[in-house]
Amino acid sequence: MNWWVFGVFSYLFLAFQSSLGTVLALPTNFGNVEPRFLLILAVLVALHAPARTTTIAWFILGLLLDLTTVHDELSLVGPYTLGYLGAAYVALQLRGSVLRRHPLTYVFLILICGGAAHLIITGVLTARVVVYAPPDGWSAVNQLVIRALSLVYTAVIGFIMAVPMLKISPLLGFQPAKVRGPRVGVSSPRR
Amino acid sequence: MALAPLTFRRATAIAVVVLLVLALLPAGWCVYARPVGAILDDAVSPVVYPLRVMGLHLRQTVSSPESSEADMALIDARLREQDNIIANQIGRIQELEDELHELRGQKQRLGGDSYNLARANVIGQSTDPVSTTLKLDKGSRDGLAVGQPVLYRASVVGRIIDVQSRVSTFELITRPGRVISAVITPRDVKGDWSALDRAPCQFRATRRERLVYDEADGSLPIHVKDFARLQDKDWPASVQHWIIGEVIDVKTSVDAPLRQRVVIEPLVRLRHLSAVSIVMPKQEADEPHAGGTP
């Protein structure tokens, strides 16, 4: 993968998330539901890049989210990075059994991997609440619900963006021959 | 003793352990991320700010689409719409006059020699969907400091919680669970409303960007559109009695008939703010300090 192009894409998707998140927000009883643009980029990488590259890329994206997130007046490095590392593992397990160029694959992976990531994030934040005093209004259930709704919203946006993402994926310099799934009669190379 | 070679798998395991430790550090130690985060915020702001402004403008346009000129019925609807716009504008002028009056009163209370107002653009928001913070393009070098109140027009919208040299973060007053004291005053009182002698109410912020108080005295004449004014010792003196929202609903409590449930809402959609003002004591504004987060 071309890391320079990945850096530019990360920058743009982070900017989309910081700016368009509010614009596209849907108000609900649980809070505002916003799409997660970086997760869409992460899924693109997970579908096409080698395992090690995928892990590093998801780590970087998680770190970016941690650094730009404020949890109850605190900036923490950890929740998102850990969540995205866990999600990268889930994505690597699943990607062999999906059609990589199908738009619905994005929906599926966003829901499953995003679900895994946000379970870990909520788990880590809940652990902080258990260890330290909970902030006013903290509710793990509300966190999970709002994050789940955000994932569904992201999946819809991901479905719309799937075709353009596939078109721009060659810019990232993936090597399809090395990451293609197992073929009948041919053992898959170890990734 | 020779160390085992550092494989990718081992490095990942070490990273996970380090991240877990970092994530569970006490609040006082969590000061390492903001300086880096501030650099990131600063780096993405050239893209975020125009995108945000364009997006909000687009959202406004889509939510009130213009009529087509092809169809007579639509033209008729458009004319009616224009009539509504004129009526709205007249109402808006009245609102602005009220706001001007409010601002003059607040300026008088603040005292022109004691405070400065600094204007800052909102350059983004926290990337976490459940967070209620916005980021500003001004920081400690512009005189901003933690705890300073943030205003939009004549209302208080939040308070600064983190300051870096070029960017800062403020938290909205509607953070779910936040308790804030305010007095309800009639909207049309132009003079000294403090003569009304109203007791402050403990409003609690809900997840729908509203503030609710269930225990208001049922005999109090509270009406929809009344103002809620900040009267909270946890907030700086400079913003006491500033408006935090207007009453949008008053109901007699089902469980306690002698009590009322009052719901207030900020005057603007707080998450859609594009520019705000910060109240700074004058010496801080005149002598910007270079320090970062305390």
Side-chain angles (χ1 to χ4, degrees):
Chain A
M1 187 171 75
N2 186 331
W3 287 101
W4 289 107
V5 179
F6 174 75
V8 173
F9 275 35
S10 305
Y11 176 86
L12 288 176
F13 277 71
L14 182 66
F16 289 162
Q17 190 149 319
S18 274
S19 55
L20 299 181
T22 309
V23 178
L24 297 174
L26 301 176
T28 67
N29 284 337
F30 303 97
N32 282 317
V33 174
E34 296 168 9
R36 325 289 296 142
F37 287 100
L38 279 178
L39 185 59
I40 298 172
L41 176 63
V43 166
L44 175 78
V45 174
L47 280 173
H48 300 281
R52 191 170 293 187
T53 310
T54 299
T55 309
I56 297 170
W58 280 62
F59 176 88
I60 292 169
L61 294 177
L63 195 60
L64 283 178
L65 283 169
D66 267 335
L67 291 171
T68 51
T69 295
V70 179
H71 302 281
D72 296 307
E73 306 189 10
L74 285 179
S75 284
L76 295 170
V77 169
Y80 270 99
T81 319
L82 281 170
Y84 270 52
L85 269 178
Y89 179 77
V90 175
L92 292 173
Q93 301 307 308
L94 289 175
R95 69 179 186 175
S97 52
V98 295
L99 298 168
R100 294 178 189 210
R101 304 192 73 79
H102 198 290
L104 280 177
T105 303
Y106 276 78
V107 175
F108 176 71
L109 282 185
I110 285 169
L111 290 175
I112 301 295
C113 300
H118 283 287
L119 270 177
I120 296 171
I121 293 161
T122 311
V124 173
L125 294 177
T126 309
R128 277 193 73 84
V129 170
V130 172
V131 176
Y132 308 108
D136 289 340
W138 165 268
S139 160
V141 174
N142 184 69
Q143 291 263 337
L144 281 175
V145 171
I146 197 80
R147 288 173 194 280
L149 291 175
S150 286
L151 280 180
V152 173
Y153 194 9
T154 309
V156 174
I157 302 269
F159 182 72
I160 297 164
M161 289 179 68
V163 174
M165 293 294 282
L166 285 170
K167 294 281 182 199
I168 60 169
S169 63
L171 293 174
L172 280 159
F174 298 126
Q175 295 169 343
K178 288 185 180 174
V179 294
R180 199 169 284 157
R183 285 173 291 171
V184 177
V186 180
S187 60
S188 63
R190 184 178 173 83
R191 279 183 232 119
Chain B
M1 187 179 71
L3 287 171
L6 187 67
T7 60
F8 184 74
R9 193 176 290 243
R10 283 186 188 135
T12 308
I14 293 168
V16 167
V17 173
V18 171
L19 287 168
L20 259 177
V21 172
L22 288 176
L24 295 175
L25 279 177
W29 293 18
C30 297
V31 292
Y32 49 85
R34 273 317 295 157
V36 188
I39 295 168
L40 264 178
D41 291 338
D42 210 21
V44 294
S45 63
V47 180
V48 170
Y49 184 61
L51 264 177
R52 184 181 163 84
V53 172
M54 276 193 299
L56 289 174
H57 181 72
L58 193 67
R59 186 180 169 125
Q60 217 168 8
T61 311
V62 170
S63 59
S64 58
E66 292 191 6
S67 310
S68 162
E69 293 179 3
D71 192 335
M72 287 302 289
L74 288 177
I75 291 173
D76 185 43
R78 189 171 188 174
L79 285 172
R80 276 203 295 270
E81 192 181 316
Q82 296 293 334
D83 284 345
N84 285 337
I85 289 171
I86 292 167
N88 285 340
Q89 290 301 322
I90 292 169
R92 182 78 189 122
I93 289 167
Q94 182 62 45
E95 275 177 23
L96 286 172
E97 279 175 359
D98 290 350
E99 192 176 306
L100 183 65
H101 185 273
E102 179 72 26
L103 283 169
R104 279 185 181 146
Q106 298 295 4
K107 189 181 172 188
Q108 204 173 356
R109 276 187 212 106
L110 271 176
D113 299 333
S114 311
Y115 294 97
N116 265 350
L117 286 180
R119 189 181 159 83
N121 292 319
V122 178
I123 55 169
Q125 59 171 31
S126 172
T127 49
D128 189 67
V130 290
S131 181
T132 50
T133 56
L134 295 176
K135 291 165 187 168
L136 302 175
D137 65 348
K138 296 274 166 60
S140 58
R141 68 174 188 174
D142 304 293
L144 269 61
V146 171
Q148 285 174 343
V150 181
L151 313 174
Y152 179 73
R153 292 185 176 166
S155 61
V156 182
V157 295
R159 189 158 52 173
I160 292 178
I161 56 168
D162 180 76
V163 177
Q164 300 301 319
S165 66
R166 295 175 66 183
V167 292
S168 53
T169 307
F170 78 96
E171 188 175 66
L172 301 175
I173 53 169
T174 50
R175 188 191 81 193
R178 177 191 283 284
V179 176
I180 194 163
S181 283
V183 287
I184 308 287
T185 63
R187 195 183 187 96
D188 52 357
V189 174
K190 304 281 186 195
D192 185 12
W193 53 266
S194 56
L196 293 170
D197 195 25
R198 295 260 176 104
C201 307
Q202 302 285 318
F203 286 96
R204 181 174 287 276
T206 68
R207 296 193 180 96
R208 301 198 67 181
E209 295 189 2
R210 288 174 180 170
L211 297 143
V212 177
Y213 181 57
D214 290 315
E215 299 286 318
D217 186 349
S219 62
L220 276 178
I222 299 174
H223 304 103
V224 172
K225 293 278 183 186
D226 281 356
F227 285 135
R229 292 172 185 275
L230 185 69
Q231 191 169 318
D232 193 321
K233 60 179 169 42
D234 291 339
W235 285 71
S238 56
V239 288
Q240 297 296 328
H241 308 150
W242 279 69
I243 296 169
I244 58 168
E246 64 178 2
V247 176
I248 58 162
D249 191 27
V250 188
K251 277 182 189 157
T252 305
S253 176
V254 179
D255 301 329
L258 296 178
R259 299 284 172 195
Q260 300 183 89
R261 184 174 195 267
V262 184
V263 182
I264 62 173
E265 195 172 58
L267 299 179
V268 287
R269 287 293 303 275
L270 299 186
R271 292 171 72 89
H272 292 178
L273 293 173
S274 55
V276 291
S277 304
I278 298 104
V279 183
M280 299 188 298
K282 205 146 199 172
Q283 65 273 20
E284 283 186 37
D286 292 343
E287 299 164 17
H289 47 272
T293 309

